[in-house]
C-alpha cells in the first residue's frame, strides 16, 4: 500500500480537500460532484480512492457524522455518493479481506474502508433499497444485498488488484469480468474430473519419486499441485484466443512435474536421470535434472494444436525471465501476421524471488518497450508463503510479493490454490486479458510447501507452527476429490482408481528403466572444437556492394534537415566512398551491417543509447533537426524475400532501458534461435557488463556445456585505459578469459576498422554459432592512426595476429612486444620517438582461442629473435596476463625468453586521477623500452 496521505492533503484541482467535501457547508459543491459522478463515475471514484486508502492506513474515520442519513431519501445524492465510495473501496481494497491462504493460519487483514460504518451507514439502513448504476451486477439492491455481492466478488478465493490501472478500457474490462462473474467460473462435471486427474498425476508423481529415490533433491511441487491444472486452464483458454505456442520460464520448484505433465518429457527419462545411469556421458558437462528443458506439440481439449516449450534454467531463479522474453520475441518475428497473439510467454516465479530479485523489475519494464515487447506475459507466482527459511515479514516491505508489478500497472489476481472455480476464473481472465490488451498479467497462486526448500531440508527448525499446520492439512488432491464426492460426481472407489492407475504406470516405467543394460564405462568423447581461425571465413565484399552501402549511409531524403555535425560526417563518408579518404571505425561498422543486409543477414543491436552510440560515433538512426522525423539509412538495404517474406532481412537498433541484466538476458534468448542474423548487445562502457554477470556466467559462457545450446551473440564492450576512472576503463577481459574454454566463446580486441569489419562479417557468416566478445574501443574511434583503406575491406580477412605495420630490418629485431588493443598505438608512438628499430610490435587481435599458428607465423619473420614481451595496460592481476602466460611459456619453450609489463596488481581496475593515469601510462611505456636485454618478470 502506498504511503498514507494527510487527511487534509489537497486532492482537488481547485484546492479543496477531501475533508472539505465531507462537510455540510459545501453542499452545493458536493451536489455538483454528485452530478459529475452520474455522468462519469470512475473519474470521481478515482479522486476519492486515495483519500479512503489514506484513512484506512491511518485507522481514521472521516467525519461522516455530519452527513444526513436517516432523514435523507433513499435516492438522495449524499446516500448514493456514499454507496459509490463503498463500491469503490471493495474494488480497490477488497483483496485485503479475501480468503487466500489454504492453510488459514491467519485471518485476512481486512480494512476499515470495507465496513459500512466507515461511511456513516447504520444497521437501520441495511434494508434500504437503491439503484447501483455503476455496478456490474444487480442494478438495484438493498445495502445488505450490496455488501453480500461485493464480498462475493472481492473477498472470497480471489483478491483483485486492478484499480491502479489508468487505462480506462482495460480497467472497465477487468471490472466487467470480476463483477460480472463474481470471480468464479462455473465448471461442468467433465472439466472438474479433468482437473482432478491432473492434480492426481502431479501428486502421485511426486510421492512416487519421494519413495523410490529417498533423499534425492527434486524440489517437490507438493502443496502447490494446483499449478498443473492452472497452467492447463491457461493454455486451453489462450488457445481459444488464437495462441498457438507457449514458452515457459520457471525456477526449479515443481519443474519435474511441469516437464512430465505439460512439456511432454518421458517419465522414463526422468527416472534415468534420478538413477544417474550413465555418468560417463556427463564428464564436465550437463546439468541437474530440475534445470533442464523440453518441448512438445499436443492438442487441447477443444482440438487446437499448440506447442509448449519449457526453458532450461540455472539456480539463479528469476534470471530466466528476460531470456524467455528474448526467445519469444525472435519466434514472434519469424511468424507472419500478428505473432504477438500467436506466441505467449508464461513465466512461473517464486514469491520470495519475485520481490527479492531486481531482474524481475527490469524484465517487467520491458513489457511495452518497442524493442522488447512480446505482447504481454502471463506471470504465475507459486506463493509458498515463505522463502528458504525466511518469513514474508522478514523478506519484503510490501503487503504482497507482487507489489513491484504495480509500477507497470499490471493487474494482479491473488487466488487460493485449493478453489478450482477460482483457479478457472483467474486462468480465463488472465489469458483473455493478455490476448486482448497485449499486456502483462499476474496470478499470485497461494499454496504451501509440504517439505522444506528441498527434500533434505528440515523446515521445522524455523517454522514449527506453519509445518504443524501443514502436517494436518489434506492434500490438494484430497480437497479436489472431496468436492467431487460431495457433488456426487465421483465415488470413493473411483477416486482410489485414479491414483491406482497412476501408480501402476509409474511402476512399469521405473521397472523398464532399471532393467536397461548398464552403460559402458568408457568416457564419452567431447564434441570436436570449432576452428579458432576466422580467416577461413570469406568476409571480403565487392567494391560495388560497398559503394551501394555507402550511398545509403550518406544520401538523405530530400528536405531532411541533418544536424550540422552529422552533415560533416555524411560528407566525409561520401569522400570515403570515392576513395578520397580512409574509412574510420564507425563507417566500417555500418558498412559491415549494410553488407550483411545485402547478404540476407538481419542485424539487431541493442544497448544504452546505441542508436547514436555512447561516444556519438554510430548514428545508425538520424533525427531531422526541424521536425524530429526519424530516418534509418540502412533500412533501405533490407530487400524483401519474395518467396518467404518472413526471411527478409531486418535492421534494428534499439536504445535499451538503463538495464544490463535484463537486456543482455533478452538478447541472449533472442540469439539462441536467430539464424541468418547478427545479434549484438553493447555495454555503454565495458565495465557495466558487471551488472549482467549472472547472465554471462550462467547462460552465455556455459549454455552449450550445460544444455547443448549455442548462441551467436556478440558483446561489444568499450575497453581501454584513458584516465576516466575505475568504472570507465576495463571491460574485465580477465573474467571472460576465465570463462572461455574451447569453443564456447571467442574473445577479440580488434584495433583497425578493417579488422572490426571483417570480424563482424566473418562471425555472422560462419557456419557454427559461437559467442563473440569484443573489447571495442573508445579513444580509437577517432584516433588519427585508426583508419583503413577501402581495399582492406574489399580484399582482406580477419587476422588473429596483426604484423608490425612498420618495415623494420628483421634480422636486427631481438625483441617482439606483443600487446592487444589501444596500448599498441601508444607503444608505436613511443618507439617512433625513440627511433627504436630493434623492437617489433605485434597485435594479438584474437585472445581466445589462443591463435598459436598465427603467432608462430608472425614471429618466424625475425630470425634473430631472442625474447617475447607481453605488454598490457591492465594491472598484473587483471587483463590477459594470467591467461596468456602459461600458453606463451609453452609456446616459447627454451627458444625465447618471456617477460611481461603491466600495471602493478590492484584491487580496483584503474585510478580516478587523470594525471596519475598519465604518469602510470608513461612509466608503463618506459619500462617496455628500457628493460635490460636479460630483464626478468616485471611490472610497472
Amino acid at each position: 500500500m502506498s504511503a498514507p496521505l494527510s487527511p487534509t492533503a489537497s486532492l482537488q484541482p481547485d484546492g479543496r480537500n477531501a475533508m472539505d467535501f465531507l462537510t455540510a457547508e459545501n453542499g452545493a459543491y458536493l451536489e455538483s460532484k454528485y452530478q459529475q459522478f452520474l455522468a462519469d463515475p470512475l473519474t470521481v471514484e478515482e479522486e476519492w480512492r486515495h483519500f479512503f486508502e489514506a484513512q484506512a492506513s491511518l485507522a481514521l474515520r472521516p467525519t461522516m457524522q455530519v452527513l444526513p442519513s436517516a432523514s435523507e431519501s433513499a435516492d438522495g445524492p449524499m446516500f448514493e455518493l456514499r454507496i459509490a465510495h463503498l463500491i469503490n473501496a471493495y474494488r480497490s481494497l477488497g483483496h485485503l479481506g479475501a480468503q487466500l491462504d489454504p492453510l488459514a493460519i491467519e485471518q485476512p487483514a481486512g480494512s476499515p474502508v470495507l465496513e459500512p460504518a466507515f461511511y456513516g451507514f447504520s444497521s437501520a439502513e441495511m434494508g434500504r433499497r437503491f439503484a447501483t448504476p455503476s455496478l456490474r451486477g444487480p442494478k438495484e439492491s438493498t445495502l445488505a444485498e450490496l455488501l453480500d455481492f461485493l464480498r462475493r466478488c472481492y473477498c472470497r478465493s480471489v483478491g483483485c488488484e486492478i484499480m491502479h490501472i489508468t487505462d480506462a478500457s482495460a480497467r472497465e474490462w477487468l471490472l466487467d469480468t470480476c463483477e460480472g462473474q463474481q470471480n468464479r467460473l462455473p465448471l461442468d462435471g467433465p472439466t472438474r474430473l479433468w482437473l482432478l486427474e491432473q492434480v492426481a498425476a502431479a501428486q502421485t508423481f511426486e510421492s512416487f519419486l519421494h519413495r523410490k529415490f529417498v533423499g534425492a533433491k527434486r524440489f517437490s511441487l507438493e502443496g502447490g499441485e494446483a499449478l498443473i491444472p492452472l497452467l492447463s486452464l491457461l493454455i486451453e483458454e489462450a488457445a481459444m484466443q488464437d495462441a498457438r505456442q507457449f514458452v515457459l520460464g520457471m525456477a526449479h520448484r515443481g519443474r519435474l512435474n511441469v516437464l512430465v505433465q505439460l512439456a511432454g518429457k518421458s517419465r522414463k527419462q526422468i527416472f534415468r536421470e534420478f538413477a544417474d545411469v550413465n555418468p560417463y556421458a556427463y564428464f564436465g558437462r550437463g546439468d541437474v535434472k530440475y534445470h533442464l528443458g523440453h518441448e512438445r506439440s499436443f492438442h487441447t481439449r477443444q482440438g487446437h494444436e499448440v506447442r509448449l516449450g519449457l526453458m532450461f534454467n540455472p539456480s539463479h531463479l528469476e534470471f530466466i525471465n528476460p531470456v524467455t522474453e528474448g526467445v519469444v520475441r525472435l519466434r514472434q518475428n519469424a511468424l507472419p501476421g500478428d505473432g504477438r497473439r500467436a506466441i505467449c510467454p508464461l513465466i512461473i516465479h517464486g514469491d520470495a524471488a519475485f520481490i527479492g530479485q531486481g531482474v524481475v523489475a527490469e524484465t517487467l519494464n520491458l513489457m511495452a518497450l518497442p524493442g522488447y515487447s512480446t505482447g504481454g506475459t502471463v506471470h504465475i507466482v507459486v506463493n509458498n508463503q515463505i522463502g528458504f527459511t525466511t518469513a514474508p515479514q522478514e523478506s519484503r516491505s510490501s503487503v504482497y510479493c507482487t507489489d513491484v508489478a504495480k509500477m507497470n500497472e499490471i493487474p494482479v489476481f491473488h487466488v487460493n490454490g485449493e478453489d478450482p472455480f477460482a483457479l478457472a476464473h483467474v486462468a480465463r481472465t488472465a489469458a483473455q486479458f493478455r490476448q486482448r490488451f497485449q499486456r502483462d498479467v499476474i496470478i499470485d497462486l497461494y499454496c504451501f510447501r509440504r517439505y522444506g526448500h528441498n527434500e533434505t531440508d528440515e523446515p521445522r527448525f524455523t517454522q514449527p507452527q506453519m509445518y504443524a499446520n501443514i502436517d494436518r492439512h489434506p492434500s490438494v488432491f484430497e480437497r479436489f476429490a472431496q468436492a467431487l464426492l460431495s457433488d456426487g460426481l465421483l465415488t470413493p472407489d473411483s477416486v482410489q482408481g485414479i491414483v491406482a492407475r497412476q501408480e501402476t504406470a509409474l511402476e512399469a516405467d521405473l521397472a523398464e528403466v532399471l532393467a536397461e543394460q548398464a552403460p559402458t564405462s568408457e568416457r564419452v568423447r567431447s564434441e570436436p572444437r570449432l576452428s579458432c581461425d576466422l580467416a577461413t571465413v570469406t568476409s571480403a565484399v565487392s567494391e560495388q556492394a560497398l559503394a551501394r552501402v555507402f550511398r545509403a549511409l550518406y544520401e538523405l531524403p530530400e528536405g531532411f534537415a541533418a544536424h550540422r555535425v552529422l552533415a560533416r560526417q555524411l560528407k566525409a563518408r561520401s569522400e570515403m566512398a570515392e576513395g578520397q579518404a580512409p574509412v574510420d571505425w564507425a563507417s566500417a561498422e555500418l558498412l559491415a551491417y549494410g553488407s550483411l543486409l545485402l547478404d540476407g543477414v538481419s542485424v539487431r543491436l541493442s544497448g544504452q543509447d546505441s542508436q547514436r552510440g555512447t561516444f556519438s560515433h554510430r548514428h545508425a538512426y538520424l533525427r531531422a533537426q526541424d521536425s524530429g522525423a526519424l530516418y534509418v539509412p540502412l533500412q533501405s538495404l533490407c530487400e524483401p524475400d519474395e518467396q518467404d517474406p518472413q526471411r527478409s532481412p531486418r535492421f534494428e537498433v534499439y536504445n535499451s532501458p538503463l538495464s544490463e541484466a535484463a537486456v543482455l538476458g533478452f538478447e541472449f534468448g533472442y540469439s539462441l534461435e536467430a539464424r541468418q542474423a547478427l545479434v549484438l548487445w553493447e555495454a555503454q562502457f565495458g565495465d557495466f557488463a558487471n551488472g549482467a554477470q549472472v547472465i554471462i556466467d550462467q547462460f552465455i559462457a556455459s549454455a552449450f556445456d550445460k544444455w547443448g545450446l549455442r548462441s551467436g551473440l556478440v558483446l561489444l564492450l568499450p575497453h581501454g585505459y584513458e584516465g576516466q576512472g575505475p568504472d570507465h576503463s576495463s571491460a574485465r577481459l580477465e573474467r571472460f578469459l576465465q570463462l572461455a574454454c574451447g569453443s564456447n566463446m571467442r574473445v577479440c580486441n580488434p584495433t583497425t576498422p578493417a579488422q572490426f569489419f571483417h570480424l563482424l562479417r566473418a562471425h555472422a557468416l560462419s557456419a557454427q554459432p559461437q559467442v563473440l566478445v569484443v573489447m571495442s574501443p573508445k579513444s580509437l574511434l577517432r584516433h588519427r592512426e585508426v583508419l583503413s583503406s577501402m581495399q582492406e575491406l574489399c580484399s582482406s580477412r580477419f587476422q588473429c595476429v596483426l604484423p608490425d605495420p612498420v618495415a623494420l630490418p628483421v634480422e636486427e629485431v631481438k625483441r617482439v612486444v606483443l600487446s592487444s588493443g589501444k596500448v599498441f598505438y601508444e607503444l608505436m608512438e613511443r618507439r617512433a620517438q625513440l627511433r627504436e628499430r630493434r623492437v617489433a610490435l605485434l597485435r594479438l587481435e584474437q585472445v581466445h582461442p589462443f591463435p598459436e599458428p598465427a603467432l608462430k607465423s608472425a614471429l618466424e619473420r625475425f630470425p634473430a629473435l631472442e625474447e617475447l614481451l607481453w605488454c598490457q595496460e591492465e594491472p598484473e592481476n587483471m587483463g590477459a596476463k594470467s591467461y596468456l602466460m602459461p600458453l606463451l611459456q609453452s609456446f616459447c619453450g627454451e627458444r625465447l625468453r618471456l617477460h611481461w609489463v603491466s600495471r602493478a596488481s590492484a584491487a580496483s581496475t584503474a585510478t580516478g586521477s587523470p594525471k596519475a593515469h598519465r604518469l602510470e601510462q608513461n612509466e608503463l611505456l618506459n619500462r617496455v623500452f628500457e628493460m635490460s636485454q636479460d630483464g626478468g618478470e616485471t611490472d610497472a
Side-chain angles (χ1 to χ4, degrees):
M1 188 180 295
S2 59
L5 300 175
S6 166
T8 58
S10 177
L11 301 178
Q12 305 306 323
D14 60 0
R16 294 175 183 266
N17 59 51
M19 284 298 188
D20 292 332
F21 271 13
L22 294 172
T23 61
E25 290 80 8
N26 291 301
Y29 190 75
L30 190 58
E31 174 64 24
S32 70
K33 279 294 175 184
Y34 172 67
Q35 296 300 325
Q36 182 183 344
F37 165 73
L38 294 179
D40 186 6
L42 283 176
T43 299
V44 179
E45 289 182 35
E46 185 68 19
E47 291 177 357
W48 282 82
R49 180 170 66 87
H50 299 295
F51 170 72
F52 283 117
E53 286 184 355
Q55 296 302 311
S57 300
L58 295 169
L60 296 176
R61 177 180 170 188
T63 55
M64 297 297 256
Q65 296 92 328
V66 302
L67 297 177
S69 56
S71 62
E72 69 178 339
S73 62
D75 59 351
M78 296 302 298
F79 183 86
E80 292 192 10
L81 191 57
R82 287 187 289 156
I83 290 295
H85 299 327
L86 176 63
I87 293 171
N88 190 68
Y90 271 86
R91 290 171 173 172
S92 300
L93 297 174
H95 55 84
L96 295 175
Q99 306 287 329
L100 302 176
D101 181 8
L103 299 174
I105 294 176
E106 295 182 4
Q107 290 301 307
S111 170
V113 301
L114 303 179
E115 299 302 325
F118 185 84
Y119 307 92
F121 291 118
S122 66
S123 58
E125 294 176 294
M126 286 297 183
R128 296 179 64 175
R129 185 162 293 277
F130 48 86
T132 52
S134 69
L135 205 64
R136 277 72 169 173
K139 298 305 178 185
E140 183 180 290
S141 67
T142 65
L143 181 56
E145 291 169 346
L146 174 64
L147 285 169
D148 180 64
F149 176 81
L150 292 173
R151 288 165 181 164
R152 280 185 281 116
C153 288
Y154 296 109
C155 298
R156 287 195 289 181
S157 298
V158 177
C160 304
E161 293 191 272
I162 57 179
M163 295 301 286
H164 59 285
I165 300 172
T166 57
D167 181 340
S169 61
R171 190 178 62 233
E172 289 267 7
W173 184 89
L174 288 166
L175 285 171
D176 289 341
T177 303
C178 293
E179 294 178 5
Q181 300 173 9
Q182 299 179 41
N183 274 321
R184 290 176 75 78
L185 185 66
L187 299 174
D188 58 30
T191 300
R192 293 175 67 185
L193 289 170
W194 174 66
L195 296 177
L196 181 67
E197 288 275 1
Q198 292 188 69
V199 172
Q203 178 178 298
T204 307
F205 178 69
E206 295 287 4
S207 61
F208 186 84
L209 293 176
H210 193 66
R211 296 195 313 272
K212 299 296 183 179
F213 302 99
V214 178
K217 288 184 181 180
R218 57 191 166 90
F219 297 95
S220 163
L221 188 58
E222 286 167 278
E225 292 96 335
L227 175 65
I228 301 301
L230 176 61
L231 282 170
S232 296
L233 288 163
L234 268 168
I235 292 165
E236 293 282 330
E237 182 61 39
M240 290 191 285
Q241 307 295 325
D242 302 325
R244 291 295 177 265
Q245 192 173 153
F246 302 87
V247 182
L248 275 69
M250 69 178 296
H252 38 271
R253 192 195 172 198
R255 189 178 188 86
L256 295 177
N257 229 306
V258 173
L259 276 168
V260 170
Q261 314 303 341
L262 294 167
K265 187 170 183 177
S266 76
R267 295 176 297 201
K268 295 177 186 176
Q269 184 57 34
I270 297 286
F271 295 155
R272 292 187 189 99
E273 291 163 359
F274 269 101
D276 205 5
V277 295
N278 192 8
Y280 299 99
Y282 298 102
F283 271 62
R285 62 179 55 197
D287 202 350
V288 291
K289 61 192 93 36
Y290 38 80
H291 288 172
L292 305 179
H294 204 262
E295 193 162 357
R296 68 148 174 166
S297 294
F298 62 96
H299 286 85
T300 67
R301 295 175 75 212
Q302 288 75 29
H304 300 111
E305 184 176 2
V306 298
R307 187 161 186 82
L308 184 144
L310 176 62
M311 298 283 290
F312 48 85
N313 194 30
S315 278
H316 288 68
L317 303 174
E318 302 293 336
F319 282 86
I320 191 61
N321 301 358
V323 179
T324 302
E325 301 290 351
V327 168
V328 170
R329 175 65 179 251
L330 185 278
R331 293 187 182 185
Q332 290 173 341
N333 286 349
L335 288 181
D338 190 0
R340 300 288 189 271
R341 286 178 58 82
I343 304 180
C344 176
L346 303 173
I347 299 182
I348 303 169
H349 313 264
D351 51 323
F354 193 88
I355 190 66
Q357 298 195 351
V359 71
V360 174
E362 290 185 34
T363 306
L364 292 175
N365 185 50
L366 302 180
M367 174 181 68
L369 303 184
Y372 310 92
S373 172
T374 55
T377 300
V378 179
H379 302 266
I380 301 175
V381 178
V382 179
N383 196 329
N384 303 312
Q385 306 183 74
I386 191 172
F388 188 169
T389 66
T390 305
Q393 59 268 27
E394 298 172 309
S395 64
R396 64 175 183 257
S397 301
S398 57
V399 176
Y400 298 110
C401 66
T402 54
D403 283 346
V404 66
K406 290 182 181 177
M407 70 177 185
N408 289 87
E409 299 190 5
I410 298 171
V412 181
F413 295 93
H414 310 281
V415 60
N416 188 316
E418 295 188 352
D419 186 338
F421 304 101
L423 289 172
H425 171 77
V426 297
R428 182 178 184 180
T429 302
Q432 291 182 352
F433 181 85
R434 189 270 174 188
Q435 293 297 89
R436 184 185 185 96
F437 295 99
Q438 298 287 273
R439 294 176 54 174
D440 286 21
V441 59
I442 294 175
I443 298 173
D444 183 14
L445 177 65
Y446 270 71
C447 53
F448 58 90
R449 207 172 55 198
R450 189 162 291 279
Y451 299 100
H453 175 67
N454 60 62
E455 289 64 41
T456 63
D457 183 58
E458 176 50 80
R460 291 162 185 80
F461 289 145
T462 56
Q463 307 296 332
Q465 293 174 313
M466 182 182 200
Y467 274 84
N469 193 300
I470 289 173
D471 290 340
R472 296 190 297 268
H473 194 76
S475 69
V476 177
F477 172 74
E478 290 171 325
R479 297 293 290 266
F480 275 36
Q482 185 57 52
L484 289 169
L485 287 168
S486 299
D487 292 342
L489 296 173
L490 280 179
T491 65
D493 288 344
S494 58
V495 171
Q496 293 178 5
I498 291 173
V499 175
R501 287 194 299 274
Q502 297 285 347
E503 289 277 359
T504 300
L506 289 164
E507 289 283 4
D509 287 345
L510 179 59
E512 189 172 329
V513 168
L514 296 177
E516 292 174 351
Q517 185 175 0
T520 175
S521 61
E522 294 181 5
R523 187 178 303 186
V524 177
R525 293 183 180 180
S526 59
E527 179 178 306
R529 298 299 183 184
L530 302 182
S531 168
C532 71
D533 190 1
L534 276 179
T536 59
V537 180
T538 302
S539 56
V541 178
S542 69
E543 292 184 10
Q544 294 81 1
L546 285 182
R548 182 179 173 188
V549 179
F550 256 130
R551 282 196 302 274
L553 289 175
Y554 67 73
E555 291 181 352
L556 295 178
E558 185 175 351
F560 188 90
H563 190 280
R564 63 181 184 278
V565 175
L566 274 178
R568 291 198 298 269
Q569 290 187 16
L570 296 177
K571 184 176 185 300
R573 285 175 180 172
S574 69
E575 294 172 352
M576 295 176 199
E578 297 298 325
Q580 300 172 11
V583 179
D584 62 13
W585 193 281
S587 299
E589 178 187 5
L590 293 174
L591 287 171
Y593 299 153
S595 60
L596 285 170
L597 294 173
L598 295 180
D599 291 334
V601 178
S602 293
V603 176
R604 176 187 167 94
L605 165 64
S606 81
Q608 293 154 19
D609 310 296
S610 287
Q611 290 179 354
R612 190 202 75 174
T614 295
F615 309 103
S616 193
H617 68 290
R618 179 175 293 117
H619 296 292
Y621 283 37
L622 309 180
R623 289 282 181 183
Q625 296 302 293
D626 49 3
S627 65
L630 180 67
Y631 178 62
V632 185
L634 290 182
Q635 283 187 350
S636 64
L637 303 177
C638 298
E639 297 180 342
D641 187 321
E642 296 181 358
Q643 294 183 341
D644 185 358
Q646 293 307 123
R647 292 181 62 85
S648 302
R650 306 157 66 104
F651 179 69
E652 302 167 302
V653 181
Y654 293 108
N655 291 333
S656 75
L658 200 64
S659 156
E660 286 81 36
V663 175
L664 180 55
F666 185 100
E667 301 304 337
F668 171 75
Y670 192 98
S671 72
L672 286 174
E673 300 182 20
R675 303 296 176 255
Q676 289 295 106
L678 177 66
V679 182
L680 309 97
W681 175 75
E682 181 177 53
Q684 195 169 58
F685 286 86
D687 312 59
F688 298 174
N690 289 343
Q693 200 64 48
V694 172
I695 298 295
I696 293 167
D697 291 353
Q698 298 297 327
F699 293 90
I700 291 174
S702 56
F704 179 72
D705 273 358
K706 291 198 292 189
W707 310 308
L709 298 172
R710 286 204 179 275
S711 165
L713 182 63
V714 180
L715 278 66
L716 301 181
L717 308 177
H719 175 84
Y721 280 58
E722 285 131 344
Q724 296 189 41
D727 299 324
H728 297 81
S729 298
S730 175
R732 291 291 192 175
L733 172 62
E734 65 279 358
R735 292 184 179 173
F736 292 97
L737 294 176
Q738 286 178 332
L739 293 169
C741 177
S743 61
N744 72 328
M745 66 173 68
R746 182 175 280 111
V747 183
C748 296
N749 197 354
T751 55
T752 73
Q755 279 284 90
F756 190 46
F757 172 88
H758 290 295
L759 176 62
L760 291 177
R761 283 188 49 80
H763 175 77
L765 298 173
S766 60
Q768 190 80 47
Q770 184 178 16
V771 171
L772 172 61
V773 179
V774 181
M775 301 287 113
S776 59
K778 296 179 289 179
S779 62
L780 296 191
L781 294 172
R782 295 177 177 86
H783 196 285
R784 64 181 181 277
E785 298 293 333
V786 184
L787 299 165
S788 298
S789 68
M790 284 283 285
Q791 186 61 30
E792 289 178 281
L793 274 60
C794 294
S795 61
S796 184
R797 298 187 180 198
F798 178 74
Q799 300 177 67
C800 297
V801 178
L802 282 183
D804 197 315
V806 176
L808 298 172
V810 294
E811 65 280 357
E812 297 181 19
V813 171
K814 299 295 182 73
R815 178 187 300 159
V816 164
V817 177
L818 182 65
S819 65
S820 187
K822 170 187 126 324
V823 72
F824 164 80
Y825 290 97
E826 294 164 298
L827 290 167
M828 193 164 64
E829 182 179 5
R830 178 60 58 89
R831 184 179 66 176
Q833 293 171 354
L834 297 173
R835 298 184 179 181
E836 174 63 70
R837 307 278 288 173
R838 297 166 301 167
V839 176
L841 304 177
L842 300 184
R843 279 168 281 180
L844 191 63
E845 300 280 286
Q846 177 176 289
V847 187
H848 178 85
F850 179 59
E852 182 174 340
L855 181 60
K856 180 180 180 181
S857 176
L859 293 177
E860 285 175 348
R861 295 183 61 245
F862 310 109
L865 184 64
E866 296 178 355
E867 55 188 358
L868 179 66
L869 184 147
W870 168 252
C871 174
Q872 67 177 36
E873 298 182 281
E874 301 90 348
E876 183 179 359
N877 59 322
M878 302 178 195
K881 186 256 180 182
S882 297
Y883 167 83
L884 285 175
M885 279 304 108
L887 297 171
L888 291 176
Q889 286 168 350
S890 175
F891 176 83
C892 292
E894 297 180 358
R895 297 180 298 112
L896 300 174
R897 294 193 298 272
L898 177 64
H899 315 300
W900 66 82
V901 170
S902 66
R903 280 177 166 77
S905 293
S908 178
T909 54
T911 177
S913 164
K915 290 184 179 179
H917 162 75
R918 288 192 291 273
L919 290 171
E920 289 178 354
Q921 201 78 349
N922 186 60
E923 185 180 353
L924 183 85
L925 299 174
N926 287 341
R927 194 174 289 270
V928 169
F929 292 100
E930 291 176 3
M931 286 179 61
S932 62
Q933 289 295 331
D934 59 350
E937 302 162 353
T938 185
D939 58 64

